[in-house]
Amino acid sequence: MAMLRRLQASPRHLLVCEKSNFGHDKSRHNHLVETHYHNYRVSFLIPECGLLSKELKSLVMEIGPYYSVKNLPLHELITHEFIHTFVQKGSFSALTYNTSIDEDNTVALLPNGKLILSLDKDTYEETGLQGHPSRYSGRKTMKFIISIDLMDLSLNLDSKKYERISWSFKEKKPLKFDFLLAWHHTGAEESTMMSYFSKYQIQEHQPKVALSTVRELQCPVLQSSSLAGEPEEACSALELFDWLGAVFCNVDLNNQSHSFISTYCCPQPNTVLAQACLCTVTGFILPEKIHALLEQLRHYFDEPKLAPWVTLSVQGFADSPVSWREKEHGFQKGGEHLYNFVVFSNQDYWLQMAVGAFDDCPP
């Protein structure tokens, strides 16, 4: 009965809200964006806007590309040539796809050069490498985490440590995965991703962009100085968060008696927007691209606008081994890890970070 009650119970979710100003020395906006590595979807909403500016539209169209490669041997990600070509010369991200974090072996390469493996018990033991039990395995440990610092390995490729890892991936337990790959590099050089992995099944992809204009949209009234809201004056950060989810899901906010789909309605106080621009980008999106979008949205208010604020929402991959930084991520019933910026015209901002049951508190 106790097991049945646990299965029926709603999983724990955690939402952290804070406010700051982009001009403050201790503002955390850059660090938070840079350390949320594996991003699946980015959405921004601009009230009282019918057409994106040329600058914003250009940024959206230049977010890609990213790549998919099938049956890539894991040892390819620890060779000296790979580390020298990609890891040391930019920000390289890789993530296994078509894998479930709670059931399958999964791998992620972070832009800081850390290779993270989440392995089942049998695979972990067969590799012969040192790791630690997953925090979310339950009473009987069935998953293990291995972390390998490629930047550290590259300093001494003749070391016993490198030889052991290389032997493990090449001979003792050869592992192959389907990966998503993305690379942000500085300088004028062209990406060599396609040619480097040409002997494998590699494809280039562009993110999917969905742009729409929402008309006659009920919208919460906000005050940048009040996260908790003010009775009859302004809505809270939590109410806005719920409302945004409804807008992104195209939920009808009227709460009409004949509707059996949703009884949700816009929180009070609210106002009706004549129109709002909603843009969603889906793919394998690097933090650098999101940072550029956030900076452009900050400057949206350089000239007077009817909009009092804009939002930028980012969702991570549900089956990534990490959420922020190197914090272990699990799935349980949702696998969500996401954040949202509310950017106000005075350069104040709200930051909302949400995770599910199998995650640490957001940073």
Side-chain angles (χ1 to χ4, degrees), residues 65-69 82 85-86 91-93 180-185 190-199 202-204 284 286:
Y66 65 98
Y67 305 84
S68 63
V69 59
F82 172 79
T85 303
F86 295 105
S91 174
F92 189 95
S93 288
L180 296 176
L181 311 173
W183 185 39
H184 177 80
H185 54 91
E190 291 294 322
S191 171
T192 58
M193 194 88 76
M194 292 290 289
S195 58
Y196 186 88
F197 293 106
S198 58
K199 61 182 178 180
I202 185 169
Q203 285 186 302
E204 180 178 315
F284 188 39
L286 290 169

PDB file of all heavy atoms in Angstrom, residues 65-69 82 85-86 91-93 180-185 190-199 202-204 284 286:
ATOM      1  N   PRO A  65      24.017  25.876 -37.091  1.00  0.00           N
ATOM      2  CA  PRO A  65      23.461  24.530 -37.194  1.00  0.00           C
ATOM      3  C   PRO A  65      23.885  23.639 -36.030  1.00  0.00           C
ATOM      4  O   PRO A  65      24.695  24.018 -35.210  1.00  0.00           O
ATOM      5  CB  PRO A  65      24.097  24.029 -38.499  1.00  0.00           C
ATOM      6  CG  PRO A  65      25.466  24.650 -38.477  1.00  0.00           C
ATOM      7  CD  PRO A  65      25.281  26.009 -37.843  1.00  0.00           C
ATOM      8  N   TYR A  66      23.260  22.450 -35.991  1.00  0.00           N
ATOM      9  CA  TYR A  66      23.758  21.392 -35.119  1.00  0.00           C
ATOM     10  C   TYR A  66      23.768  20.106 -35.938  1.00  0.00           C
ATOM     11  O   TYR A  66      23.323  20.087 -37.088  1.00  0.00           O
ATOM     12  CB  TYR A  66      22.907  21.258 -33.851  1.00  0.00           C
ATOM     13  CG  TYR A  66      21.479  20.825 -34.081  1.00  0.00           C
ATOM     14  CD1 TYR A  66      21.088  19.493 -33.929  1.00  0.00           C
ATOM     15  CD2 TYR A  66      20.499  21.750 -34.437  1.00  0.00           C
ATOM     16  CE1 TYR A  66      19.781  19.102 -34.139  1.00  0.00           C
ATOM     17  CE2 TYR A  66      19.180  21.360 -34.637  1.00  0.00           C
ATOM     18  CZ  TYR A  66      18.827  20.034 -34.495  1.00  0.00           C
ATOM     19  OH  TYR A  66      17.541  19.646 -34.700  1.00  0.00           O
ATOM     20  N   TYR A  67      24.302  19.033 -35.373  1.00  0.00           N
ATOM     21  CA  TYR A  67      24.545  17.829 -36.155  1.00  0.00           C
ATOM     22  C   TYR A  67      24.061  16.595 -35.401  1.00  0.00           C
ATOM     23  O   TYR A  67      24.020  16.581 -34.166  1.00  0.00           O
ATOM     24  CB  TYR A  67      26.035  17.675 -36.457  1.00  0.00           C
ATOM     25  CG  TYR A  67      26.629  18.883 -37.136  1.00  0.00           C
ATOM     26  CD1 TYR A  67      27.051  19.980 -36.398  1.00  0.00           C
ATOM     27  CD2 TYR A  67      26.739  18.939 -38.527  1.00  0.00           C
ATOM     28  CE1 TYR A  67      27.577  21.106 -37.024  1.00  0.00           C
ATOM     29  CE2 TYR A  67      27.262  20.060 -39.159  1.00  0.00           C
ATOM     30  CZ  TYR A  67      27.680  21.140 -38.397  1.00  0.00           C
ATOM     31  OH  TYR A  67      28.193  22.250 -39.020  1.00  0.00           O
ATOM     32  N   SER A  68      23.697  15.559 -36.158  1.00  0.00           N
ATOM     33  CA  SER A  68      23.421  14.254 -35.571  1.00  0.00           C
ATOM     34  C   SER A  68      24.356  13.243 -36.223  1.00  0.00           C
ATOM     35  O   SER A  68      24.605  13.306 -37.439  1.00  0.00           O
ATOM     36  CB  SER A  68      21.959  13.841 -35.788  1.00  0.00           C
ATOM     37  OG  SER A  68      21.664  13.702 -37.154  1.00  0.00           O
ATOM     38  N   VAL A  69      24.885  12.349 -35.416  1.00  0.00           N
ATOM     39  CA  VAL A  69      25.775  11.315 -35.940  1.00  0.00           C
ATOM     40  C   VAL A  69      25.387   9.989 -35.302  1.00  0.00           C
ATOM     41  O   VAL A  69      25.124   9.921 -34.098  1.00  0.00           O
ATOM     42  CB  VAL A  69      27.264  11.663 -35.674  1.00  0.00           C
ATOM     43  CG1 VAL A  69      27.546  11.832 -34.196  1.00  0.00           C
ATOM     44  CG2 VAL A  69      28.191  10.619 -36.277  1.00  0.00           C
ATOM     45  N   PHE A  82      40.706  15.014 -31.680  1.00  0.00           N
ATOM     46  CA  PHE A  82      39.393  15.584 -31.385  1.00  0.00           C
ATOM     47  C   PHE A  82      39.504  16.692 -30.345  1.00  0.00           C
ATOM     48  O   PHE A  82      38.928  17.783 -30.512  1.00  0.00           O
ATOM     49  CB  PHE A  82      38.448  14.491 -30.877  1.00  0.00           C
ATOM     50  CG  PHE A  82      37.134  15.024 -30.373  1.00  0.00           C
ATOM     51  CD1 PHE A  82      36.129  15.381 -31.256  1.00  0.00           C
ATOM     52  CD2 PHE A  82      36.915  15.212 -29.011  1.00  0.00           C
ATOM     53  CE1 PHE A  82      34.926  15.893 -30.796  1.00  0.00           C
ATOM     54  CE2 PHE A  82      35.723  15.720 -28.540  1.00  0.00           C
ATOM     55  CZ  PHE A  82      34.725  16.061 -29.448  1.00  0.00           C
ATOM     56  N   THR A  85      41.176  19.739 -31.908  1.00  0.00           N
ATOM     57  CA  THR A  85      40.401  20.376 -32.977  1.00  0.00           C
ATOM     58  C   THR A  85      39.167  21.097 -32.449  1.00  0.00           C
ATOM     59  O   THR A  85      38.860  22.212 -32.897  1.00  0.00           O
ATOM     60  CB  THR A  85      39.970  19.326 -34.022  1.00  0.00           C
ATOM     61  OG1 THR A  85      41.131  18.673 -34.529  1.00  0.00           O
ATOM     62  CG2 THR A  85      39.217  19.990 -35.177  1.00  0.00           C
ATOM     63  N   PHE A  86      38.478  20.487 -31.490  1.00  0.00           N
ATOM     64  CA  PHE A  86      37.179  21.015 -31.069  1.00  0.00           C
ATOM     65  C   PHE A  86      37.147  21.539 -29.631  1.00  0.00           C
ATOM     66  O   PHE A  86      36.708  22.661 -29.392  1.00  0.00           O
ATOM     67  CB  PHE A  86      36.105  19.933 -31.238  1.00  0.00           C
ATOM     68  CG  PHE A  86      35.858  19.534 -32.655  1.00  0.00           C
ATOM     69  CD1 PHE A  86      36.329  18.325 -33.143  1.00  0.00           C
ATOM     70  CD2 PHE A  86      35.170  20.366 -33.520  1.00  0.00           C
ATOM     71  CE1 PHE A  86      36.106  17.951 -34.455  1.00  0.00           C
ATOM     72  CE2 PHE A  86      34.935  20.009 -34.835  1.00  0.00           C
ATOM     73  CZ  PHE A  86      35.407  18.794 -35.307  1.00  0.00           C
ATOM     74  N   SER A  91      33.667  25.977 -27.920  1.00  0.00           N
ATOM     75  CA  SER A  91      32.728  25.408 -26.962  1.00  0.00           C
ATOM     76  C   SER A  91      31.994  24.275 -27.657  1.00  0.00           C
ATOM     77  O   SER A  91      31.136  24.507 -28.505  1.00  0.00           O
ATOM     78  CB  SER A  91      31.755  26.507 -26.501  1.00  0.00           C
ATOM     79  OG  SER A  91      30.754  25.971 -25.685  1.00  0.00           O
ATOM     80  N   PHE A  92      32.345  23.029 -27.296  1.00  0.00           N
ATOM     81  CA  PHE A  92      31.790  21.858 -27.976  1.00  0.00           C
ATOM     82  C   PHE A  92      30.831  21.132 -27.041  1.00  0.00           C
ATOM     83  O   PHE A  92      31.152  20.877 -25.884  1.00  0.00           O
ATOM     84  CB  PHE A  92      32.909  20.904 -28.396  1.00  0.00           C
ATOM     85  CG  PHE A  92      32.446  19.781 -29.295  1.00  0.00           C
ATOM     86  CD1 PHE A  92      32.555  19.904 -30.668  1.00  0.00           C
ATOM     87  CD2 PHE A  92      31.904  18.619 -28.770  1.00  0.00           C
ATOM     88  CE1 PHE A  92      32.127  18.879 -31.508  1.00  0.00           C
ATOM     89  CE2 PHE A  92      31.467  17.590 -29.589  1.00  0.00           C
ATOM     90  CZ  PHE A  92      31.587  17.723 -30.964  1.00  0.00           C
ATOM     91  N   SER A  93      29.643  20.802 -27.548  1.00  0.00           N
ATOM     92  CA  SER A  93      28.648  20.068 -26.764  1.00  0.00           C
ATOM     93  C   SER A  93      28.218  18.822 -27.519  1.00  0.00           C
ATOM     94  O   SER A  93      28.055  18.851 -28.745  1.00  0.00           O
ATOM     95  CB  SER A  93      27.415  20.924 -26.478  1.00  0.00           C
ATOM     96  OG  SER A  93      27.693  21.921 -25.536  1.00  0.00           O
ATOM     97  N   LEU A 180      23.884  14.010 -30.636  1.00  0.00           N
ATOM     98  CA  LEU A 180      23.696  15.358 -31.165  1.00  0.00           C
ATOM     99  C   LEU A 180      24.959  16.137 -30.850  1.00  0.00           C
ATOM    100  O   LEU A 180      25.504  16.041 -29.740  1.00  0.00           O
ATOM    101  CB  LEU A 180      22.493  16.045 -30.509  1.00  0.00           C
ATOM    102  CG  LEU A 180      21.122  15.430 -30.756  1.00  0.00           C
ATOM    103  CD1 LEU A 180      20.064  16.188 -29.961  1.00  0.00           C
ATOM    104  CD2 LEU A 180      20.771  15.441 -32.244  1.00  0.00           C
ATOM    105  N   LEU A 181      25.451  16.917 -31.818  1.00  0.00           N
ATOM    106  CA  LEU A 181      26.696  17.664 -31.662  1.00  0.00           C
ATOM    107  C   LEU A 181      26.475  19.127 -32.025  1.00  0.00           C
ATOM    108  O   LEU A 181      25.714  19.444 -32.940  1.00  0.00           O
ATOM    109  CB  LEU A 181      27.800  17.091 -32.575  1.00  0.00           C
ATOM    110  CG  LEU A 181      28.039  15.588 -32.568  1.00  0.00           C
ATOM    111  CD1 LEU A 181      29.049  15.224 -33.650  1.00  0.00           C
ATOM    112  CD2 LEU A 181      28.542  15.126 -31.202  1.00  0.00           C
ATOM    113  N   ALA A 182      27.156  20.007 -31.307  1.00  0.00           N
ATOM    114  CA  ALA A 182      27.135  21.436 -31.657  1.00  0.00           C
ATOM    115  C   ALA A 182      28.455  22.044 -31.221  1.00  0.00           C
ATOM    116  O   ALA A 182      29.037  21.633 -30.209  1.00  0.00           O
ATOM    117  CB  ALA A 182      25.965  22.150 -30.994  1.00  0.00           C
ATOM    118  N   TRP A 183      28.906  23.044 -31.977  1.00  0.00           N
ATOM    119  CA  TRP A 183      30.220  23.626 -31.712  1.00  0.00           C
ATOM    120  C   TRP A 183      30.163  25.130 -31.945  1.00  0.00           C
ATOM    121  O   TRP A 183      29.776  25.598 -33.013  1.00  0.00           O
ATOM    122  CB  TRP A 183      31.266  22.993 -32.632  1.00  0.00           C
ATOM    123  CG  TRP A 183      32.676  23.412 -32.392  1.00  0.00           C
ATOM    124  CD1 TRP A 183      33.280  23.636 -31.192  1.00  0.00           C
ATOM    125  CD2 TRP A 183      33.669  23.642 -33.394  1.00  0.00           C
ATOM    126  NE1 TRP A 183      34.602  23.979 -31.376  1.00  0.00           N
ATOM    127  CE2 TRP A 183      34.863  23.989 -32.710  1.00  0.00           C
ATOM    128  CE3 TRP A 183      33.682  23.580 -34.790  1.00  0.00           C
ATOM    129  CZ2 TRP A 183      36.041  24.287 -33.384  1.00  0.00           C
ATOM    130  CZ3 TRP A 183      34.859  23.856 -35.459  1.00  0.00           C
ATOM    131  CH2 TRP A 183      36.025  24.214 -34.756  1.00  0.00           C
ATOM    132  N   HIS A 184      30.527  25.895 -30.920  1.00  0.00           N
ATOM    133  CA  HIS A 184      30.667  27.343 -31.046  1.00  0.00           C
ATOM    134  C   HIS A 184      32.142  27.675 -30.980  1.00  0.00           C
ATOM    135  O   HIS A 184      32.818  27.355 -30.005  1.00  0.00           O
ATOM    136  CB  HIS A 184      29.930  28.049 -29.903  1.00  0.00           C
ATOM    137  CG  HIS A 184      30.081  29.540 -29.928  1.00  0.00           C
ATOM    138  ND1 HIS A 184      29.341  30.349 -30.760  1.00  0.00           N
ATOM    139  CD2 HIS A 184      30.907  30.366 -29.233  1.00  0.00           C
ATOM    140  CE1 HIS A 184      29.692  31.605 -30.578  1.00  0.00           C
ATOM    141  NE2 HIS A 184      30.632  31.648 -29.659  1.00  0.00           N
ATOM    142  N   HIS A 185      32.651  28.280 -32.047  1.00  0.00           N
ATOM    143  CA  HIS A 185      34.084  28.568 -32.088  1.00  0.00           C
ATOM    144  C   HIS A 185      34.311  30.020 -32.470  1.00  0.00           C
ATOM    145  O   HIS A 185      33.491  30.644 -33.146  1.00  0.00           O
ATOM    146  CB  HIS A 185      34.795  27.649 -33.088  1.00  0.00           C
ATOM    147  CG  HIS A 185      34.198  27.689 -34.476  1.00  0.00           C
ATOM    148  ND1 HIS A 185      34.618  28.551 -35.443  1.00  0.00           N
ATOM    149  CD2 HIS A 185      33.189  26.971 -35.019  1.00  0.00           C
ATOM    150  CE1 HIS A 185      33.922  28.366 -36.548  1.00  0.00           C
ATOM    151  NE2 HIS A 185      33.038  27.415 -36.314  1.00  0.00           N
ATOM    152  N   GLU A 190      36.046  27.950 -40.702  1.00  0.00           N
ATOM    153  CA  GLU A 190      34.780  27.267 -40.930  1.00  0.00           C
ATOM    154  C   GLU A 190      34.715  26.010 -40.065  1.00  0.00           C
ATOM    155  O   GLU A 190      35.721  25.405 -39.726  1.00  0.00           O
ATOM    156  CB  GLU A 190      34.655  26.882 -42.410  1.00  0.00           C
ATOM    157  CG  GLU A 190      34.471  28.076 -43.340  1.00  0.00           C
ATOM    158  CD  GLU A 190      33.152  28.775 -43.099  1.00  0.00           C
ATOM    159  OE1 GLU A 190      32.150  28.092 -42.843  1.00  0.00           O
ATOM    160  OE2 GLU A 190      33.142  30.016 -43.150  1.00  0.00           O
ATOM    161  N   SER A 191      33.510  25.617 -39.732  1.00  0.00           N
ATOM    162  CA  SER A 191      33.335  24.395 -38.952  1.00  0.00           C
ATOM    163  C   SER A 191      33.798  23.189 -39.751  1.00  0.00           C
ATOM    164  O   SER A 191      33.515  23.052 -40.943  1.00  0.00           O
ATOM    165  CB  SER A 191      31.870  24.226 -38.565  1.00  0.00           C
ATOM    166  OG  SER A 191      31.666  22.969 -37.992  1.00  0.00           O
ATOM    167  N   THR A 192      34.529  22.307 -39.098  1.00  0.00           N
ATOM    168  CA  THR A 192      35.032  21.103 -39.761  1.00  0.00           C
ATOM    169  C   THR A 192      34.277  19.869 -39.290  1.00  0.00           C
ATOM    170  O   THR A 192      34.750  18.745 -39.455  1.00  0.00           O
ATOM    171  CB  THR A 192      36.531  20.925 -39.469  1.00  0.00           C
ATOM    172  OG1 THR A 192      36.721  20.860 -38.038  1.00  0.00           O
ATOM    173  CG2 THR A 192      37.346  22.059 -40.022  1.00  0.00           C
ATOM    174  N   MET A 193      33.112  20.058 -38.677  1.00  0.00           N
ATOM    175  CA  MET A 193      32.367  18.943 -38.101  1.00  0.00           C
ATOM    176  C   MET A 193      32.035  17.873 -39.136  1.00  0.00           C
ATOM    177  O   MET A 193      32.261  16.683 -38.910  1.00  0.00           O
ATOM    178  CB  MET A 193      31.091  19.461 -37.457  1.00  0.00           C
ATOM    179  CG  MET A 193      30.422  18.467 -36.547  1.00  0.00           C
ATOM    180  SD  MET A 193      31.020  18.553 -34.878  1.00  0.00           S
ATOM    181  CE  MET A 193      30.199  20.043 -34.316  1.00  0.00           C
ATOM    182  N   MET A 194      31.488  18.269 -40.281  1.00  0.00           N
ATOM    183  CA  MET A 194      31.078  17.299 -41.301  1.00  0.00           C
ATOM    184  C   MET A 194      32.261  16.503 -41.817  1.00  0.00           C
ATOM    185  O   MET A 194      32.173  15.278 -41.968  1.00  0.00           O
ATOM    186  CB  MET A 194      30.376  18.017 -42.459  1.00  0.00           C
ATOM    187  CG  MET A 194      29.032  18.625 -42.104  1.00  0.00           C
ATOM    188  SD  MET A 194      27.741  17.403 -41.787  1.00  0.00           S
ATOM    189  CE  MET A 194      27.450  16.773 -43.437  1.00  0.00           C
ATOM    190  N   SER A 195      33.371  17.172 -42.079  1.00  0.00           N
ATOM    191  CA  SER A 195      34.532  16.461 -42.617  1.00  0.00           C
ATOM    192  C   SER A 195      35.202  15.594 -41.566  1.00  0.00           C
ATOM    193  O   SER A 195      35.667  14.491 -41.864  1.00  0.00           O
ATOM    194  CB  SER A 195      35.542  17.459 -43.198  1.00  0.00           C
ATOM    195  OG  SER A 195      35.965  18.381 -42.206  1.00  0.00           O
ATOM    196  N   TYR A 196      35.235  16.062 -40.314  1.00  0.00           N
ATOM    197  CA  TYR A 196      35.907  15.295 -39.262  1.00  0.00           C
ATOM    198  C   TYR A 196      35.194  13.969 -39.022  1.00  0.00           C
ATOM    199  O   TYR A 196      35.846  12.933 -38.827  1.00  0.00           O
ATOM    200  CB  TYR A 196      35.965  16.113 -37.966  1.00  0.00           C
ATOM    201  CG  TYR A 196      36.774  15.458 -36.876  1.00  0.00           C
ATOM    202  CD1 TYR A 196      38.154  15.685 -36.781  1.00  0.00           C
ATOM    203  CD2 TYR A 196      36.181  14.596 -35.960  1.00  0.00           C
ATOM    204  CE1 TYR A 196      38.915  15.062 -35.802  1.00  0.00           C
ATOM    205  CE2 TYR A 196      36.934  13.978 -34.973  1.00  0.00           C
ATOM    206  CZ  TYR A 196      38.294  14.212 -34.895  1.00  0.00           C
ATOM    207  OH  TYR A 196      39.044  13.592 -33.923  1.00  0.00           O
ATOM    208  N   PHE A 197      33.873  13.982 -39.025  1.00  0.00           N
ATOM    209  CA  PHE A 197      33.111  12.759 -38.742  1.00  0.00           C
ATOM    210  C   PHE A 197      32.543  12.146 -40.020  1.00  0.00           C
ATOM    211  O   PHE A 197      31.542  11.426 -39.985  1.00  0.00           O
ATOM    212  CB  PHE A 197      31.958  13.068 -37.779  1.00  0.00           C
ATOM    213  CG  PHE A 197      32.399  13.466 -36.396  1.00  0.00           C
ATOM    214  CD1 PHE A 197      32.319  14.786 -35.987  1.00  0.00           C
ATOM    215  CD2 PHE A 197      32.901  12.526 -35.513  1.00  0.00           C
ATOM    216  CE1 PHE A 197      32.721  15.163 -34.708  1.00  0.00           C
ATOM    217  CE2 PHE A 197      33.313  12.888 -34.243  1.00  0.00           C
ATOM    218  CZ  PHE A 197      33.227  14.210 -33.838  1.00  0.00           C
ATOM    219  N   SER A 198      33.193  12.387 -41.154  1.00  0.00           N
ATOM    220  CA  SER A 198      32.658  11.969 -42.447  1.00  0.00           C
ATOM    221  C   SER A 198      32.552  10.453 -42.597  1.00  0.00           C
ATOM    222  O   SER A 198      31.739   9.955 -43.392  1.00  0.00           O
ATOM    223  CB  SER A 198      33.523  12.540 -43.579  1.00  0.00           C
ATOM    224  OG  SER A 198      34.866  12.100 -43.439  1.00  0.00           O
ATOM    225  N   LYS A 199      33.343   9.687 -41.862  1.00  0.00           N
ATOM    226  CA  LYS A 199      33.276   8.220 -41.988  1.00  0.00           C
ATOM    227  C   LYS A 199      32.102   7.630 -41.202  1.00  0.00           C
ATOM    228  O   LYS A 199      31.868   6.425 -41.255  1.00  0.00           O
ATOM    229  CB  LYS A 199      34.584   7.572 -41.555  1.00  0.00           C
ATOM    230  CG  LYS A 199      34.997   7.815 -40.124  1.00  0.00           C
ATOM    231  CD  LYS A 199      36.350   7.147 -39.862  1.00  0.00           C
ATOM    232  CE  LYS A 199      36.817   7.426 -38.430  1.00  0.00           C
ATOM    233  NZ  LYS A 199      38.127   6.799 -38.157  1.00  0.00           N
ATOM    234  N   ILE A 202      26.694  11.188 -40.488  1.00  0.00           N
ATOM    235  CA  ILE A 202      26.495  12.514 -39.892  1.00  0.00           C
ATOM    236  C   ILE A 202      25.606  13.362 -40.782  1.00  0.00           C
ATOM    237  O   ILE A 202      25.703  13.316 -42.011  1.00  0.00           O
ATOM    238  CB  ILE A 202      27.846  13.221 -39.622  1.00  0.00           C
ATOM    239  CG1 ILE A 202      27.611  14.549 -38.888  1.00  0.00           C
ATOM    240  CG2 ILE A 202      28.644  13.397 -40.891  1.00  0.00           C
ATOM    241  CD1 ILE A 202      28.859  15.192 -38.343  1.00  0.00           C
ATOM    242  N   GLN A 203      24.714  14.122 -40.144  1.00  0.00           N
ATOM    243  CA  GLN A 203      23.812  15.016 -40.857  1.00  0.00           C
ATOM    244  C   GLN A 203      23.810  16.389 -40.194  1.00  0.00           C
ATOM    245  O   GLN A 203      23.922  16.487 -38.966  1.00  0.00           O
ATOM    246  CB  GLN A 203      22.383  14.477 -40.850  1.00  0.00           C
ATOM    247  CG  GLN A 203      22.126  13.306 -41.785  1.00  0.00           C
ATOM    248  CD  GLN A 203      20.653  12.940 -41.803  1.00  0.00           C
ATOM    249  OE1 GLN A 203      20.067  12.627 -40.770  1.00  0.00           O
ATOM    250  NE2 GLN A 203      20.041  12.990 -42.982  1.00  0.00           N
ATOM    251  N   GLU A 204      23.694  17.417 -41.005  1.00  0.00           N
ATOM    252  CA  GLU A 204      23.568  18.773 -40.483  1.00  0.00           C
ATOM    253  C   GLU A 204      22.085  19.135 -40.378  1.00  0.00           C
ATOM    254  O   GLU A 204      21.281  18.787 -41.248  1.00  0.00           O
ATOM    255  CB  GLU A 204      24.280  19.767 -41.403  1.00  0.00           C
ATOM    256  CG  GLU A 204      24.183  21.204 -40.927  1.00  0.00           C
ATOM    257  CD  GLU A 204      24.943  22.181 -41.825  1.00  0.00           C
ATOM    258  OE1 GLU A 204      26.090  21.868 -42.196  1.00  0.00           O
ATOM    259  OE2 GLU A 204      24.364  23.227 -42.154  1.00  0.00           O
ATOM    260  N   PHE A 284      19.113  21.732 -30.975  1.00  0.00           N
ATOM    261  CA  PHE A 284      20.189  21.554 -29.994  1.00  0.00           C
ATOM    262  C   PHE A 284      20.899  22.904 -29.920  1.00  0.00           C
ATOM    263  O   PHE A 284      21.711  23.237 -30.772  1.00  0.00           O
ATOM    264  CB  PHE A 284      21.130  20.437 -30.444  1.00  0.00           C
ATOM    265  CG  PHE A 284      22.157  20.037 -29.416  1.00  0.00           C
ATOM    266  CD1 PHE A 284      21.836  19.976 -28.073  1.00  0.00           C
ATOM    267  CD2 PHE A 284      23.447  19.697 -29.791  1.00  0.00           C
ATOM    268  CE1 PHE A 284      22.774  19.590 -27.123  1.00  0.00           C
ATOM    269  CE2 PHE A 284      24.388  19.301 -28.856  1.00  0.00           C
ATOM    270  CZ  PHE A 284      24.054  19.249 -27.517  1.00  0.00           C
ATOM    271  N   LEU A 286      23.017  26.020 -28.293  1.00  0.00           N
ATOM    272  CA  LEU A 286      24.153  26.314 -27.412  1.00  0.00           C
ATOM    273  C   LEU A 286      23.871  27.524 -26.520  1.00  0.00           C
ATOM    274  O   LEU A 286      23.149  28.444 -26.908  1.00  0.00           O
ATOM    275  CB  LEU A 286      25.397  26.585 -28.247  1.00  0.00           C
ATOM    276  CG  LEU A 286      25.992  25.377 -28.962  1.00  0.00           C
ATOM    277  CD1 LEU A 286      27.048  25.829 -29.969  1.00  0.00           C
ATOM    278  CD2 LEU A 286      26.593  24.387 -27.979  1.00  0.00           C
TER     279      LEU A 286
END
